[in-house]
Amino acid sequence: MERFLHRYSELGYLILRLGVAFLFFFHAPQKFYGWWNRPAFPLLSLRGLAVTIELIVSPLIALGLFTSYAAVLGAAEMIGAYFVVHNALGSLPIANRGELAVVYWLVFVYMIFRGGGKYSLDHWIRGRK
């Protein structure tokens, strides 16, 4: 099975990138507009900075453009989210409801090292040089 699926690994990575970008994007209006029964925050605040990062990182990850750099920003935001929002000092992610921030952080760290992959603008631009 692994040998069969390996030939589709780049397609799987594209699906991962698109899915993460899609889900990550919706955290911005949640914070800024207060959608989904959450409080709204002003743009000139710490969570406003998170909104800006989410609005920048999501399309870049989806397109595979400057993927590693975008993933660094996303990973940095997730570190901030874990320690600021989830008050994580001395607590496990399951206890402070920070497991989503940890999962996003892990995926972004993977993307930092992996880059955009075969189906990305990064790959297309590199091929033109």
Side-chain angles (χ1 to χ4, degrees):
M1 178 94 148
E2 183 179 334
R3 188 182 304 176
F4 170 75
L5 291 177
H6 181 68
R7 70 179 96 173
Y8 300 109
S9 64
E10 289 293 334
L11 182 61
Y13 184 55
L14 171 65
I15 293 168
L16 175 72
R17 269 193 12 248
L18 292 174
V20 165
F22 179 77
L23 294 171
F24 197 62
F25 179 80
F26 283 100
H27 288 272
Q30 177 188 29
K31 289 178 190 72
F32 188 66
Y33 295 115
W35 290 357
W36 303 291
N37 298 320
R38 300 289 187 180
F41 296 96
L43 199 53
L44 294 176
S45 67
L46 191 57
R47 292 195 182 167
L49 176 62
V51 168
T52 305
I53 291 172
E54 290 156 1
L55 290 175
I56 292 169
V57 166
S58 297
L60 290 176
I61 294 287
L63 295 170
L65 182 62
F66 308 116
T67 309
S68 294
Y69 298 109
V72 165
L73 278 175
E77 180 190 345
M78 291 302 96
I79 290 171
Y82 189 70
F83 287 104
V84 173
V85 177
H86 299 285
N87 301 316
L89 292 176
S91 180
L92 293 173
I94 196 69
N96 61 33
R97 306 184 90 187
E99 60 269 6
L100 184 60
V102 173
V103 169
Y104 271 126
W105 181 81
L106 290 167
V107 171
F108 286 138
V109 167
Y110 177 68
M111 289 179 180
I112 291 168
F113 290 101
R114 176 82 195 269
K118 182 178 178 183
Y119 302 114
S120 67
L121 289 178
D122 288 339
H123 181 77
W124 184 76
I125 290 168
R126 230 182 359 259
R128 293 184 50 114
K129 290 183 179 179

